Amino acid sequence: MIKKEMIAMLLAGGQGSRLGVLTAKMAKPAVAFGGKYRIIDFPLSNCINSGVDTVGVLTQYQPLRLNTHIGIGIPWDLDRNIGGVTVLPPYEKSTNSEWYTGTANAVYQNLEYMESFHPEYVLILSGDHVYKMDYELMLDAHKANGAAVTIAVMPVPMEEAHRFGIMIANEKGRITEFEEKPEFPRSNLASMGIYIFNWKTLKKALVEMADQPALDFGKHVIPYCHGKGAPMYTYEFTGYWKDVGTLDSYWQANMELIDIVPEFNLYEEYWKVFTKSEIQPPQYFSEDSVVERSIIGEGTDIYGKVYHSVIGCGVTIGRNTVIRDSIIMNRTQIGNDCELYKAIVAEEVRIGNHVRLGVGGEAPNDTAPHIYNHGIVTVGERSVIPNGISVGKNAVVFGITTGADYENFCLGSGGTLIKAGD
Amino acid sequence: MQELSRKRAVCAMPIAGSYRSIDFTLSNMANSHIQKVAVFTQYNARSLNEHLSSSKWWDFGRKQGGLFVLTPTVTAENSNWYRGTADAIYQNLAFLKSSHEPYVVISSGDGVYKMDFGRVLEYHIEKKADITVVCKDMGEDTDVERFGTVSMDEDGRIREYEEKPLRAKSSTISCGIYLLRRRQLIELIEKCAEDDRYDFVRDILIRYKDIRRIYGYKMRDYWRNIASVEDYYDANMDFLKPEVRNYFFKQHPDIYSKVDDLAPAKYNVGVSVRNSLISSGCIVNGTVENSVIFKKSYIGNNCVIKNSIILNDVYIGDNTYIENCIVESRGTLRANSRYVGEEGRIRVVVERNERYMV
């Protein structure tokens, strides 16, 4: 009989719309991070490092990048005869066919998958956080408490607590009350969206709540279990955990990796982060290149100057080009004599010569100021920017652009140039 | 190879920052759609076996075919080590006999090259050859005495073949890559063993050159092998040339290697890197010029590294000066030390200091 003590269900179907054009063609968990990784590498690596070798990845929004990245799970050692990683997209059923309408609904639609492993516990994860966490310790706590549900929580500053789901627990960690984004929080323990359920508790809750529209863990399943009096405990996590949900927090988290001793250390031997490495050659620095305070991925050729930046794999940076405070993702090519300031340039972008990004004064973005802000200029994947173009701050470029798309070779601060259909 | 091969077989020598020399041959085989590969190992094979721990990296994890590592074993009939290349094949003749593929490519594992063996096979068939030997013109001014040299007629048939001649009659050398029919190979190897002969080149190629149709296939692209410390140094330094990097790193097909899951290389304040290759997992704080730094090395503050090769996982303490050296892998160099070799006489540095204060 097939039996796994704990299996993981990884929610990776979300768009992550606050990342703007970065998630135009891929789900948020597939977005590149830290030079060579993608965000989903962190929970997947945590799983294998914690001894969880059965992971169902629930996909829905733009899954191609994610699917090719995960493959059969070789990079994470999740290619198993029994278990391993399984990508679970929504599917047509004989009676109905619906998309995943909520986090818990997605898990509910895959009851059969979970059932086939006869698990004792199910770990619910989301694919859009950057952190290292030993789920085995969390499971130990879950067992020791005799809990039916354990929720990983993190202490946050009291003034920010109103942005989170807040847990109120007694001194033993048993949850007595919880509040979703409370105006006046009574605790600073924020839910990290990581749950361990006893399988029986989870199954019963999902089946009984099946008809709830947009069935969600935080909004419906947790209150339901609480209402039934199931023992629910918090598991306090104090390590590095980052929600890279906005362009600014994404930029910040990348830049933190550059610190001399970064809080989030990728160089540790005992808790490695695994990823699919398609590009293997070393990086080359030319005779007149300059590099300082940066991390750089494999196979990148640097002919220009790179300061305080995160550069991906297979990137080319041309002669006399200056890159500052920027994130450049895999396989992007940047020509000669360019200047990039606080730019996020997605994968496989072609930038010509004499291009300037992130120059000029501050101005709010004209279409989506809540997404494109903090002076960051964003370029979507596979975009083309021709020679001699200047792009201002808080601007966004996406698509194959030509000189005719710009006014006087210029897109001012706060400008939006999105060419759909390319 | 002096001290460098004390630690590992030549096939496992790290090359070009991220690879080992056997990666080139294995990738060529994978890219030529060869599905069944046997690797013969004997000398100091731990590094090599570790590198070959999974056949995934070259896509040899197949149901049909796969990667086989054949080491000498004691059997009822035989308790010898591999006494030569032909003997190595003879001791594993059952493997050859039980295969069904019509052709066999034999290659040494220390060559740095790209090759489509399909092309060699086409040539082999076109010439109706018994054996095809891959050859390369080295030019008049190269010292070819350490290779096997061949002379061919206009048709490409090999008329003379000398192994490591004192004075070479030809500047065309054998690259140590052979292609022939499997049945032909079995027959030749069995005859060879009957006569107590063990070497593929001396006892088969040279002895049979007038009886069998042995043809030379000239390769025109980059090829070099690593037989000495100077060769090894030069082979690595070649990758600082844009045309060599472009050929191996950018053009199809790729060369594959074992994936080490290392973090991106990191550059702190006060770094200067010029005309150098740096591999993943490195942390650089000093100056690097005209050098190749392999994976996972740490280079301390104010270090200066010039014209040198730093192998995998080396720790270099602050204020260290290194010029014209090859620093052996997993070495730990104390702060404020100085290692200088001469141009043309590269110094091999093997340092075994304690890395961590206990």
Side-chain angles (χ1 to χ4, degrees), chain B residues 51-73:
Chain B
H51 189 63
L52 301 178
S53 64
S54 170
S55 44
K56 281 173 190 168
W57 321 127
W58 303 276
D59 235 350
F60 287 136
R62 300 275 79 95
K63 276 183 165 180
Q64 306 206 1
L67 185 71
F68 299 82
V69 180
L70 304 178
T71 47
T73 51

PDB file of all heavy atoms in Angstrom, chain B residues 51-73:
ATOM      1  N   HIS B  51      31.438  12.288  -9.950  1.00  0.00           N
ATOM      2  CA  HIS B  51      30.903  13.111 -11.032  1.00  0.00           C
ATOM      3  C   HIS B  51      29.856  12.343 -11.838  1.00  0.00           C
ATOM      4  O   HIS B  51      28.892  12.918 -12.326  1.00  0.00           O
ATOM      5  CB  HIS B  51      32.051  13.551 -11.933  1.00  0.00           C
ATOM      6  CG  HIS B  51      31.663  14.575 -12.954  1.00  0.00           C
ATOM      7  ND1 HIS B  51      31.212  15.821 -12.605  1.00  0.00           N
ATOM      8  CD2 HIS B  51      31.653  14.539 -14.298  1.00  0.00           C
ATOM      9  CE1 HIS B  51      30.935  16.506 -13.702  1.00  0.00           C
ATOM     10  NE2 HIS B  51      31.194  15.747 -14.739  1.00  0.00           N
ATOM     11  N   LEU B  52      30.069  11.035 -11.977  1.00  0.00           N
ATOM     12  CA  LEU B  52      29.156  10.215 -12.777  1.00  0.00           C
ATOM     13  C   LEU B  52      28.037   9.629 -11.928  1.00  0.00           C
ATOM     14  O   LEU B  52      27.365   8.690 -12.341  1.00  0.00           O
ATOM     15  CB  LEU B  52      29.926   9.080 -13.456  1.00  0.00           C
ATOM     16  CG  LEU B  52      31.063   9.483 -14.402  1.00  0.00           C
ATOM     17  CD1 LEU B  52      31.763   8.255 -14.944  1.00  0.00           C
ATOM     18  CD2 LEU B  52      30.544  10.324 -15.549  1.00  0.00           C
ATOM     19  N   SER B  53      27.845  10.188 -10.709  1.00  0.00           N
ATOM     20  CA  SER B  53      26.899   9.586  -9.766  1.00  0.00           C
ATOM     21  C   SER B  53      25.501   9.466 -10.357  1.00  0.00           C
ATOM     22  O   SER B  53      24.734   8.615  -9.968  1.00  0.00           O
ATOM     23  CB  SER B  53      26.844  10.416  -8.495  1.00  0.00           C
ATOM     24  OG  SER B  53      26.334  11.697  -8.807  1.00  0.00           O
ATOM     25  N   SER B  54      25.162  10.327 -11.268  1.00  0.00           N
ATOM     26  CA  SER B  54      23.865  10.188 -11.915  1.00  0.00           C
ATOM     27  C   SER B  54      24.030  10.370 -13.409  1.00  0.00           C
ATOM     28  O   SER B  54      24.818  11.198 -13.856  1.00  0.00           O
ATOM     29  CB  SER B  54      22.883  11.220 -11.390  1.00  0.00           C
ATOM     30  OG  SER B  54      21.728  11.206 -12.196  1.00  0.00           O
ATOM     31  N   SER B  55      23.287   9.595 -14.165  1.00  0.00           N
ATOM     32  CA  SER B  55      23.357   9.714 -15.617  1.00  0.00           C
ATOM     33  C   SER B  55      22.428  10.813 -16.118  1.00  0.00           C
ATOM     34  O   SER B  55      22.350  11.078 -17.297  1.00  0.00           O
ATOM     35  CB  SER B  55      23.003   8.382 -16.250  1.00  0.00           C
ATOM     36  OG  SER B  55      21.878   7.832 -15.613  1.00  0.00           O
ATOM     37  N   LYS B  56      21.735  11.478 -15.187  1.00  0.00           N
ATOM     38  CA  LYS B  56      20.765  12.506 -15.576  1.00  0.00           C
ATOM     39  C   LYS B  56      21.391  13.657 -16.345  1.00  0.00           C
ATOM     40  O   LYS B  56      20.795  14.185 -17.270  1.00  0.00           O
ATOM     41  CB  LYS B  56      20.143  13.111 -14.319  1.00  0.00           C
ATOM     42  CG  LYS B  56      19.074  12.284 -13.686  1.00  0.00           C
ATOM     43  CD  LYS B  56      18.661  12.918 -12.371  1.00  0.00           C
ATOM     44  CE  LYS B  56      17.762  11.984 -11.592  1.00  0.00           C
ATOM     45  NZ  LYS B  56      17.565  12.418 -10.223  1.00  0.00           N
ATOM     46  N   TRP B  57      22.590  14.051 -15.921  1.00  0.00           N
ATOM     47  CA  TRP B  57      23.152  15.295 -16.448  1.00  0.00           C
ATOM     48  C   TRP B  57      23.388  15.230 -17.948  1.00  0.00           C
ATOM     49  O   TRP B  57      23.387  16.237 -18.625  1.00  0.00           O
ATOM     50  CB  TRP B  57      24.446  15.654 -15.723  1.00  0.00           C
ATOM     51  CG  TRP B  57      24.376  15.355 -14.260  1.00  0.00           C
ATOM     52  CD1 TRP B  57      25.262  14.620 -13.541  1.00  0.00           C
ATOM     53  CD2 TRP B  57      23.366  15.752 -13.329  1.00  0.00           C
ATOM     54  NE1 TRP B  57      24.861  14.538 -12.231  1.00  0.00           N
ATOM     55  CE2 TRP B  57      23.713  15.215 -12.072  1.00  0.00           C
ATOM     56  CE3 TRP B  57      22.190  16.501 -13.437  1.00  0.00           C
ATOM     57  CZ2 TRP B  57      22.928  15.401 -10.937  1.00  0.00           C
ATOM     58  CZ3 TRP B  57      21.423  16.684 -12.305  1.00  0.00           C
ATOM     59  CH2 TRP B  57      21.798  16.147 -11.080  1.00  0.00           C
ATOM     60  N   TRP B  58      23.651  14.062 -18.457  1.00  0.00           N
ATOM     61  CA  TRP B  58      23.895  13.940 -19.900  1.00  0.00           C
ATOM     62  C   TRP B  58      22.696  13.287 -20.588  1.00  0.00           C
ATOM     63  O   TRP B  58      22.789  12.860 -21.719  1.00  0.00           O
ATOM     64  CB  TRP B  58      25.166  13.143 -20.151  1.00  0.00           C
ATOM     65  CG  TRP B  58      26.329  13.773 -19.471  1.00  0.00           C
ATOM     66  CD1 TRP B  58      27.092  14.800 -19.944  1.00  0.00           C
ATOM     67  CD2 TRP B  58      26.835  13.480 -18.166  1.00  0.00           C
ATOM     68  NE1 TRP B  58      28.033  15.153 -19.017  1.00  0.00           N
ATOM     69  CE2 TRP B  58      27.901  14.365 -17.923  1.00  0.00           C
ATOM     70  CE3 TRP B  58      26.480  12.561 -17.186  1.00  0.00           C
ATOM     71  CZ2 TRP B  58      28.619  14.337 -16.724  1.00  0.00           C
ATOM     72  CZ3 TRP B  58      27.195  12.548 -16.004  1.00  0.00           C
ATOM     73  CH2 TRP B  58      28.258  13.432 -15.785  1.00  0.00           C
ATOM     74  N   ASP B  59      21.604  13.144 -19.841  1.00  0.00           N
ATOM     75  CA  ASP B  59      20.392  12.553 -20.379  1.00  0.00           C
ATOM     76  C   ASP B  59      20.598  11.084 -20.757  1.00  0.00           C
ATOM     77  O   ASP B  59      20.048  10.601 -21.740  1.00  0.00           O
ATOM     78  CB  ASP B  59      19.923  13.342 -21.619  1.00  0.00           C
ATOM     79  CG  ASP B  59      18.493  13.807 -21.437  1.00  0.00           C
ATOM     80  OD1 ASP B  59      17.852  13.357 -20.486  1.00  0.00           O
ATOM     81  OD2 ASP B  59      18.022  14.614 -22.250  1.00  0.00           O
ATOM     82  N   PHE B  60      21.424  10.394 -19.979  1.00  0.00           N
ATOM     83  CA  PHE B  60      21.646   8.975 -20.250  1.00  0.00           C
ATOM     84  C   PHE B  60      20.767   8.083 -19.368  1.00  0.00           C
ATOM     85  O   PHE B  60      20.947   6.877 -19.355  1.00  0.00           O
ATOM     86  CB  PHE B  60      23.114   8.604 -20.017  1.00  0.00           C
ATOM     87  CG  PHE B  60      24.045   9.116 -21.082  1.00  0.00           C
ATOM     88  CD1 PHE B  60      25.246   9.700 -20.754  1.00  0.00           C
ATOM     89  CD2 PHE B  60      23.712   9.003 -22.424  1.00  0.00           C
ATOM     90  CE1 PHE B  60      26.110  10.184 -21.727  1.00  0.00           C
ATOM     91  CE2 PHE B  60      24.565   9.478 -23.406  1.00  0.00           C
ATOM     92  CZ  PHE B  60      25.757  10.074 -23.060  1.00  0.00           C
ATOM     93  N   GLY B  61      19.880   8.682 -18.579  1.00  0.00           N
ATOM     94  CA  GLY B  61      19.022   7.871 -17.721  1.00  0.00           C
ATOM     95  C   GLY B  61      17.903   7.242 -18.533  1.00  0.00           C
ATOM     96  O   GLY B  61      16.746   7.583 -18.379  1.00  0.00           O
ATOM     97  N   ARG B  62      18.265   6.334 -19.424  1.00  0.00           N
ATOM     98  CA  ARG B  62      17.297   5.782 -20.367  1.00  0.00           C
ATOM     99  C   ARG B  62      17.004   4.330 -20.057  1.00  0.00           C
ATOM    100  O   ARG B  62      17.832   3.630 -19.481  1.00  0.00           O
ATOM    101  CB  ARG B  62      17.848   5.871 -21.794  1.00  0.00           C
ATOM    102  CG  ARG B  62      18.167   7.265 -22.273  1.00  0.00           C
ATOM    103  CD  ARG B  62      16.923   7.921 -22.832  1.00  0.00           C
ATOM    104  NE  ARG B  62      16.071   8.411 -21.781  1.00  0.00           N
ATOM    105  CZ  ARG B  62      16.070   9.644 -21.316  1.00  0.00           C
ATOM    106  NH1 ARG B  62      16.843  10.540 -21.822  1.00  0.00           N
ATOM    107  NH2 ARG B  62      15.263   9.983 -20.346  1.00  0.00           N
ATOM    108  N   LYS B  63      15.819   3.872 -20.481  1.00  0.00           N
ATOM    109  CA  LYS B  63      15.520   2.447 -20.369  1.00  0.00           C
ATOM    110  C   LYS B  63      16.304   1.687 -21.421  1.00  0.00           C
ATOM    111  O   LYS B  63      16.775   0.581 -21.187  1.00  0.00           O
ATOM    112  CB  LYS B  63      14.034   2.224 -20.617  1.00  0.00           C
ATOM    113  CG  LYS B  63      13.187   2.433 -19.408  1.00  0.00           C
ATOM    114  CD  LYS B  63      11.766   2.115 -19.784  1.00  0.00           C
ATOM    115  CE  LYS B  63      10.908   1.933 -18.556  1.00  0.00           C
ATOM    116  NZ  LYS B  63       9.531   1.614 -18.956  1.00  0.00           N
ATOM    117  N   GLN B  64      16.392   2.282 -22.604  1.00  0.00           N
ATOM    118  CA  GLN B  64      17.179   1.656 -23.658  1.00  0.00           C
ATOM    119  C   GLN B  64      18.538   2.327 -23.645  1.00  0.00           C
ATOM    120  O   GLN B  64      18.666   3.480 -23.968  1.00  0.00           O
ATOM    121  CB  GLN B  64      16.514   1.880 -25.008  1.00  0.00           C
ATOM    122  CG  GLN B  64      15.087   1.423 -24.989  1.00  0.00           C
ATOM    123  CD  GLN B  64      14.586   1.029 -26.354  1.00  0.00           C
ATOM    124  OE1 GLN B  64      15.321   1.079 -27.327  1.00  0.00           O
ATOM    125  NE2 GLN B  64      13.357   0.627 -26.427  1.00  0.00           N
ATOM    126  N   GLY B  65      19.540   1.574 -23.255  1.00  0.00           N
ATOM    127  CA  GLY B  65      20.878   2.144 -23.156  1.00  0.00           C
ATOM    128  C   GLY B  65      21.127   2.644 -21.743  1.00  0.00           C
ATOM    129  O   GLY B  65      20.645   2.052 -20.787  1.00  0.00           O
ATOM    130  N   GLY B  66      21.861   3.748 -21.623  1.00  0.00           N
ATOM    131  CA  GLY B  66      22.187   4.272 -20.303  1.00  0.00           C
ATOM    132  C   GLY B  66      23.678   4.446 -20.150  1.00  0.00           C
ATOM    133  O   GLY B  66      24.434   4.247 -21.092  1.00  0.00           O
ATOM    134  N   LEU B  67      24.065   4.859 -18.952  1.00  0.00           N
ATOM    135  CA  LEU B  67      25.481   5.093 -18.659  1.00  0.00           C
ATOM    136  C   LEU B  67      25.999   3.965 -17.774  1.00  0.00           C
ATOM    137  O   LEU B  67      25.444   3.692 -16.717  1.00  0.00           O
ATOM    138  CB  LEU B  67      25.632   6.434 -17.943  1.00  0.00           C
ATOM    139  CG  LEU B  67      27.046   6.908 -17.651  1.00  0.00           C
ATOM    140  CD1 LEU B  67      27.750   7.322 -18.929  1.00  0.00           C
ATOM    141  CD2 LEU B  67      27.020   8.083 -16.693  1.00  0.00           C
ATOM    142  N   PHE B  68      27.029   3.289 -18.236  1.00  0.00           N
ATOM    143  CA  PHE B  68      27.586   2.153 -17.499  1.00  0.00           C
ATOM    144  C   PHE B  68      29.011   2.487 -17.088  1.00  0.00           C
ATOM    145  O   PHE B  68      29.811   2.903 -17.920  1.00  0.00           O
ATOM    146  CB  PHE B  68      27.601   0.904 -18.378  1.00  0.00           C
ATOM    147  CG  PHE B  68      26.223   0.482 -18.818  1.00  0.00           C
ATOM    148  CD1 PHE B  68      25.605   1.099 -19.903  1.00  0.00           C
ATOM    149  CD2 PHE B  68      25.545  -0.505 -18.137  1.00  0.00           C
ATOM    150  CE1 PHE B  68      24.332   0.731 -20.295  1.00  0.00           C
ATOM    151  CE2 PHE B  68      24.268  -0.882 -18.527  1.00  0.00           C
ATOM    152  CZ  PHE B  68      23.664  -0.261 -19.609  1.00  0.00           C
ATOM    153  N   VAL B  69      29.331   2.331 -15.833  1.00  0.00           N
ATOM    154  CA  VAL B  69      30.707   2.544 -15.386  1.00  0.00           C
ATOM    155  C   VAL B  69      31.325   1.168 -15.167  1.00  0.00           C
ATOM    156  O   VAL B  69      30.852   0.384 -14.345  1.00  0.00           O
ATOM    157  CB  VAL B  69      30.745   3.379 -14.095  1.00  0.00           C
ATOM    158  CG1 VAL B  69      32.186   3.576 -13.649  1.00  0.00           C
ATOM    159  CG2 VAL B  69      30.091   4.731 -14.329  1.00  0.00           C
ATOM    160  N   LEU B  70      32.354   0.875 -15.967  1.00  0.00           N
ATOM    161  CA  LEU B  70      32.953  -0.452 -15.929  1.00  0.00           C
ATOM    162  C   LEU B  70      34.328  -0.366 -15.275  1.00  0.00           C
ATOM    163  O   LEU B  70      35.271   0.160 -15.849  1.00  0.00           O
ATOM    164  CB  LEU B  70      33.064  -1.016 -17.351  1.00  0.00           C
ATOM    165  CG  LEU B  70      31.740  -1.082 -18.122  1.00  0.00           C
ATOM    166  CD1 LEU B  70      31.979  -1.601 -19.529  1.00  0.00           C
ATOM    167  CD2 LEU B  70      30.734  -1.971 -17.413  1.00  0.00           C
ATOM    168  N   THR B  71      34.419  -0.870 -14.079  1.00  0.00           N
ATOM    169  CA  THR B  71      35.693  -0.882 -13.368  1.00  0.00           C
ATOM    170  C   THR B  71      36.248  -2.302 -13.406  1.00  0.00           C
ATOM    171  O   THR B  71      35.493  -3.258 -13.586  1.00  0.00           O
ATOM    172  CB  THR B  71      35.501  -0.462 -11.903  1.00  0.00           C
ATOM    173  OG1 THR B  71      34.387  -1.192 -11.394  1.00  0.00           O
ATOM    174  CG2 THR B  71      35.236   1.010 -11.778  1.00  0.00           C
ATOM    175  N   PRO B  72      37.559  -2.489 -13.233  1.00  0.00           N
ATOM    176  CA  PRO B  72      38.098  -3.841 -13.228  1.00  0.00           C
ATOM    177  C   PRO B  72      37.506  -4.623 -12.057  1.00  0.00           C
ATOM    178  O   PRO B  72      37.366  -4.086 -10.960  1.00  0.00           O
ATOM    179  CB  PRO B  72      39.609  -3.630 -13.023  1.00  0.00           C
ATOM    180  CG  PRO B  72      39.853  -2.189 -13.125  1.00  0.00           C
ATOM    181  CD  PRO B  72      38.569  -1.461 -13.002  1.00  0.00           C
ATOM    182  N   THR B  73      37.149  -5.865 -12.311  1.00  0.00           N
ATOM    183  CA  THR B  73      36.617  -6.688 -11.219  1.00  0.00           C
ATOM    184  C   THR B  73      37.319  -8.039 -11.236  1.00  0.00           C
ATOM    185  O   THR B  73      37.836  -8.470 -12.272  1.00  0.00           O
ATOM    186  CB  THR B  73      35.106  -6.948 -11.371  1.00  0.00           C
ATOM    187  OG1 THR B  73      34.877  -7.436 -12.688  1.00  0.00           O
ATOM    188  CG2 THR B  73      34.293  -5.700 -11.131  1.00  0.00           C
TER     189      THR B  73
END
